[in-house]
Amino acid sequence: MTDAVAHDCELDASGLNCPLPLLKAKMELNKLPSGAILKVIATDAGSQRDFRTFAKLAGHTLLREEDEAGVYRYWLKKA
């Protein structure tokens, strides 16, 4: 486990099922200024599809994603 990308805020959504990881990430992003980077940790496999789609639709940038033994990490840069 590495912090591949520097981030401004971290959200641990481990143990939460769809759609909670994405909803919590959206709420956290709303608090951050444009250009800030949010790191999200999730254990829901469906979060991969959710975060990719959300980033595209909302205009955010998915800088990186990792999958390590069922733990998913995402770095989102707020639009």
Side-chain angles (χ1 to χ4, degrees):
M1 180 167 111
T2 62
D3 279 333
V5 177
H7 52 279
D8 301 294
C9 187
E10 183 172 316
L11 170 67
D12 187 353
S14 299
L16 300 177
N17 294 321
C18 181
L20 290 175
L22 183 60
L23 291 175
K24 289 192 172 281
K26 286 171 71 172
M27 289 172 41
E28 199 63 39
L29 281 169
N30 287 339
K31 300 177 191 175
L32 298 174
S34 181
I37 297 173
L38 173 65
K39 176 182 177 183
V40 181
I41 302 167
T43 52
D44 179 27
S47 67
Q48 290 181 303
R49 178 194 66 244
D50 292 345
F51 278 94
R52 290 174 191 153
T53 302
F54 168 67
K56 286 179 188 175
L57 292 176
H60 304 305
T61 304
L62 183 57
L63 297 172
R64 182 176 175 97
E65 62 179 292
E66 294 180 354
D67 172 5
E68 183 180 317
V71 177
Y72 307 93
R73 293 178 197 83
Y74 309 96
W75 287 263
L76 288 163
K77 183 175 184 180
K78 184 175 179 178

